[in-house]
């Protein structure tokens, strides 16, 4: 009998996304434009001034110079779509063998690529900040939310990368063999992995999303921001008992 060298389960470490709830059609459309599941937090009709206009996504993509803010928001949403799929899975490891480290490095490479894309999106959004004031209230809200989420995702993926790095440098918690502990699983935590500047960057990103939740209170953007900050940002390796196989 020998332990699994490396295993990734399908269960997500982060809390499950809220189940979609029925909202007014215009509210549902906002979540769809942001490529987000509707929140379970209560929402009434969309506030006046936040209605969609007649400009389509195809028109924006065909004439980005005419719609600089919208184009950069759409680009950022493309980067976020990839980043959202990198939510930490429940990873289990049993040691520091090379196959395990190789698998971890593959995940770290994917994180690094996504972080770079998000950082580029933040730079591009910041570059068109002056044009934001000329946009509709709806697209100003889209801009603000997407910028805040990009920053929060950068922090979140950096946390993942730091947690994975504990395997590479062989610094996981000590196992208690008397309790039958044979490996470690990655779990959601209120504590952050140790990494230079990580705590400050995470605090800044969370503060930005909390500010957005207050600014857009009682709107889809505000409720989505509230949901985002409810989730623990930390990850930790927890000793565990693992099944064995032949």
């Amino acid at each position: 009998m020998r332990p699994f060298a490396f295993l990734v389960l399908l269960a997500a470490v982060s809390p499950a996304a809220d189940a979609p709830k029925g909202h007014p059609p215009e509210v549902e459309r906002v979540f769809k434009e942001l490529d987000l599941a509707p929140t379970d937090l209560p929402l009434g009709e969309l506030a006046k001034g936040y209605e969609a206009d007649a400009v389509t996504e195809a028109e924006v993509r065909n004439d980005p110079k005419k719609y600089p803010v919208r184009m950069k928001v759409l680009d950022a949403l493309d980067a976020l779509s990839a980043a959202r799929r990198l939510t930490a899975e429940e990873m289990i490891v049993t040691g520091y063998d090379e196959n395990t480290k190789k698998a971890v490095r593959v995940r770290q490479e994917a994180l690094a690529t996504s972080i770079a894309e998000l950082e580029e999106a933040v730079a591009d959004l910041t570059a068109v900040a002056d044009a934001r004031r000329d946009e509709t209230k709806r697209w100003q809200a889209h801009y603000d939310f997407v910028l805040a989420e990009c920053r929060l995702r950068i922090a979140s993926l950096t946390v993942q990368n730091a947690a994975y790095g504990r395997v590479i440098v062989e610094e996981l918690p000590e196992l208690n063999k008397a309790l039958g502990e044979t490996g470690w699983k990655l779990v959601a935590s209120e504590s952050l992995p140790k990494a230079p500047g990580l705590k400050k960057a995470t605090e800044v990103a969370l503060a930005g999303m909390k500010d957005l939740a207050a600014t857009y209170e009682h709107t889809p953007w505000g409720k989505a921001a509230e949901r985002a900050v409810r989730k623990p940002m930390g990850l930790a390796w927890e000793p565990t008992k693992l099944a064995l196989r032949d």
Side-chain angles (χ1 to χ4, degrees), residues 53-75 128 131 134-136 139:
D53 57 24
V55 180
T56 66
E57 180 178 332
E59 289 177 280
V60 174
R61 292 189 182 278
N62 287 334
D63 196 357
K65 290 184 178 180
K66 185 177 180 180
Y67 305 103
V69 171
R70 300 188 189 200
M71 189 65 248
K72 295 308 180 186
V73 168
L74 293 176
D75 286 344
V128 297
D134 299 322
E135 268 296 352
T136 64
W139 278 94

Side-chain angles (χ1 to χ4, degrees), residues 24-34 52-53 55 138:
E26 271 302 305
V27 170
E28 294 277 353
R29 182 174 172 181
V30 170
F31 287 114
K32 185 175 181 181
E33 290 174 2
L34 294 172
D53 57 24
V55 180
R138 186 188 191 91

